[in-house]
Amino acid sequence: MKKPEITESLLAPGHKACAGCGEALAARIIMDAAGPDIIVTAATGCLEVFSTLYPQSAWKMPWIHSLFENSSAVAAGIEVALKALGRENEAKVIAQGGDGATADIGVGCLSGMFERGHDVLYICYDNEAYMNTGIQRSGLTPFEASTTTSPSGEISWGNKTDKKPMPEIAAAHKIPYVATATVGYIKDLEKKVKKALSIKGPKYLQVHCPCPLGWAHDPSLTIKVAKMAVQTGLIPIFEMENEKITSVRKIAKKQPVEEYLKLQARFRHLFKKIGGEEEIKRIQQIADNNIKKYGLM
Amino acid sequence: MAKPEGVVAKPGSSKEYKTGSWRTEKPVFKQDKCTDCRICVMVCPDGVIFGSDKKYYADLDYCKGCGICVEECPVDDIEMVVEVR
């Protein structure tokens, strides 16, 4: 059968992401929406490891792996170099990192990039833990998710803290564009990437991507899980321009958080242990607070 | 100019590795009720569903058999079939 080369993605197949990987899907959609005239940096993490198993690379554009913490600083350097050469109109610069690289390890460099006002789009692939090294909790791991460093057990309900408000932290730098998106709504994700790249200055886009390995759900359910996270209110999808929320994705039909939690084995303990109902009520409270705060309904 | 160490010069060379061998089930496109919505093309994490005019297929050299296309097809026109090799 003839294979049309032309429709092939800017993230080539043959990369080693798990079957059903939400991050691989997000990266492919984002590259195709942004490309082909882009220069991309990537922090250490799943995305870097699965896409560039030496001596091969899945990327079809200039791409550089930085350290864990400085994909934003490297991107800032590239942007400045393009300006110095007078070639800033030839390519857009995109920096990428996982949730750990963004919210924990690289938050200093990211803040610097925002503060100095570099014309870079930063993309945070939020799969809610350090999946590459074996599912350790990060600053973006949700409340009561079981990970290898916040395991559920006799006296533990899993991760003790809720997600760090990274979009608000980014917006507080007074940058022109901050948005959240999800692989559950691909058209929305594409639209936000295109919009972000049309704006000059630092931009922050946080993409919620389910991880079948770390969240322990069936690989075929990646999109369903991502959509359910939005429909329960746990993951608000919104845009902020100059510190103000300018658009939100309204919840079509509000779902109880159980519908989201029961799809994933990382929340299995909430349904097995005595007292789990009380804990689920606390998660429902987080979702209800989000709905109120962002006006999701 | 000499190539610095650790640099991969060939873009998209991950294609040299065929991930299709990971698969235990493959998607079969029935091409019966297809409405050309192209959702399967959009949701494939590996970007290996191709085609047009209600005739779509997955590149089985790379398809990992995750089954997202089957789950998301709005008219149930794709099914997973256990593969015997």
Side-chain angles (χ1 to χ4, degrees):
Chain A
M1 209 181 292
K2 197 174 151 269
K3 288 170 190 173
E5 193 72 26
I6 195 150
T7 54
E8 216 172 71
S9 171
L10 283 171
L11 185 69
H15 60 66
K16 320 305 180 281
C18 306
C21 176
E23 193 176 40
L25 174 57
R28 183 175 74 75
I29 300 292
I30 290 167
M31 291 309 131
D32 286 346
D37 297 327
I38 44 177
I39 301 175
V40 182
T41 71
T44 307
C46 261
L47 182 67
E48 168 258 328
V49 170
F50 77 63
S51 63
T52 53
L53 202 72
Y54 191 78
Q56 298 160 355
S57 168
W59 306 89
K60 292 189 180 171
M61 73 293 283
W63 181 93
I64 183 169
H65 168 220
S66 62
L67 301 175
F68 216 138
E69 67 278 19
N70 67 350
S71 73
S72 43
V74 170
I78 294 169
E79 186 254 355
V80 174
L82 284 174
K83 265 191 192 149
L85 294 168
R87 296 175 67 178
E88 66 265 40
N89 294 328
E90 288 178 35
K92 307 267 188 197
V93 185
I94 296 178
Q96 312 177 97
D99 52 295
T102 304
D104 302 344
I105 299 175
V107 75
C109 285
L110 181 61
S111 176
M113 186 194 95
F114 289 156
E115 184 218 335
R116 295 187 300 268
H118 294 287
D119 185 20
V120 175
L121 167 60
Y122 189 93
I123 290 162
C124 167
Y125 295 95
D126 177 17
N127 57 16
E128 306 194 323
Y130 291 87
M131 297 312 182
N132 171 43
T133 45
I135 319 160
Q136 289 85 9
R137 75 164 288 280
S138 80
L140 289 179
T141 302
F143 185 57
E144 299 200 327
S146 180
T147 71
T148 50
T149 47
S150 65
S152 63
E154 262 176 45
I155 53 164
S156 164
W157 287 100
N159 189 40
K160 286 191 178 121
T161 54
D162 194 22
K163 288 170 84 76
K164 192 187 274 193
M166 266 318 283
E168 279 84 357
I169 293 171
H173 289 77
K174 301 192 171 66
I175 61 174
Y177 187 72
V178 172
T180 61
T182 164
V183 291
Y185 299 99
I186 289 173
K187 288 280 174 209
D188 178 68
L189 171 59
E190 281 176 344
K191 201 184 81 197
K192 281 175 178 162
V193 171
K194 289 200 168 113
K195 181 169 178 184
L197 287 175
S198 72
I199 297 169
K200 252 198 148 40
K203 285 86 61 175
Y204 178 80
L205 178 61
Q206 184 169 313
V207 189
H208 192 239
C209 352
C211 170
L213 176 81
W215 301 11
H217 62 76
D218 193 88
S220 65
L221 297 181
T222 298
I223 307 266
K224 286 234 152 59
V225 170
K227 278 187 176 158
M228 197 56 86
V230 175
Q231 295 305 325
T232 53
L234 283 169
I235 300 293
I237 301 297
F238 58 90
E239 285 177 298
M240 284 173 99
E241 285 169 63
N242 302 309
E243 287 188 89
K244 295 225 164 54
I245 293 178
T246 49
S247 83
V248 293
R249 172 173 273 272
K250 298 275 182 194
I251 294 174
K253 188 168 175 274
K254 191 191 164 193
Q255 303 281 347
V257 289
E258 285 97 325
E259 295 297 314
Y260 173 62
L261 304 176
K262 74 180 184 194
L263 292 170
Q264 310 163 55
R266 64 174 174 160
F267 293 113
R268 180 173 43 196
H269 53 286
L270 296 172
F271 298 95
K272 283 196 172 160
K273 269 173 73 179
I274 297 162
E277 280 170 22
E278 284 303 308
E279 300 301 318
I280 291 172
K281 272 186 200 152
R282 293 173 72 181
I283 299 177
Q284 184 65 56
Q285 194 60 48
I286 294 172
D288 292 344
N289 285 348
N290 278 342
I291 291 170
K292 216 168 128 195
K293 182 177 169 194
Y294 297 100
L296 300 176
M297 284 182 80
Chain B
M1 202 174 80
K3 200 177 92 176
E5 259 183 60
V7 169
V8 179
K10 204 178 153 208
S13 52
S14 60
K15 284 190 80 182
E16 289 162 20
Y17 181 94
K18 307 256 164 93
T19 47
S21 62
W22 299 5
R23 197 176 56 235
T24 53
E25 290 181 321
K26 67 174 178 185
V28 173
F29 292 71
K30 290 185 261 182
Q31 302 185 342
D32 175 24
K33 287 178 279 180
C34 180
T35 59
D36 249 338
C37 69
R38 297 182 69 83
I39 286 177
C40 54
V41 177
M42 207 162 65
V43 297
C44 177
D46 295 85
V48 292
I49 296 177
F50 302 104
S52 59
D53 300 327
K54 303 185 180 182
K55 301 240 178 306
Y56 292 86
Y57 64 93
D59 185 340
L60 294 178
D61 281 350
Y62 299 102
C63 169
K64 294 169 183 162
C66 65
I68 293 181
C69 51
V70 177
E71 191 67 35
E72 294 305 315
C73 179
V75 290
D76 289 329
D77 205 34
I78 318 171
E79 61 181 0
M80 287 309 266
V81 176
V82 175
E83 231 176 339
V84 183
R85 322 182 193 221

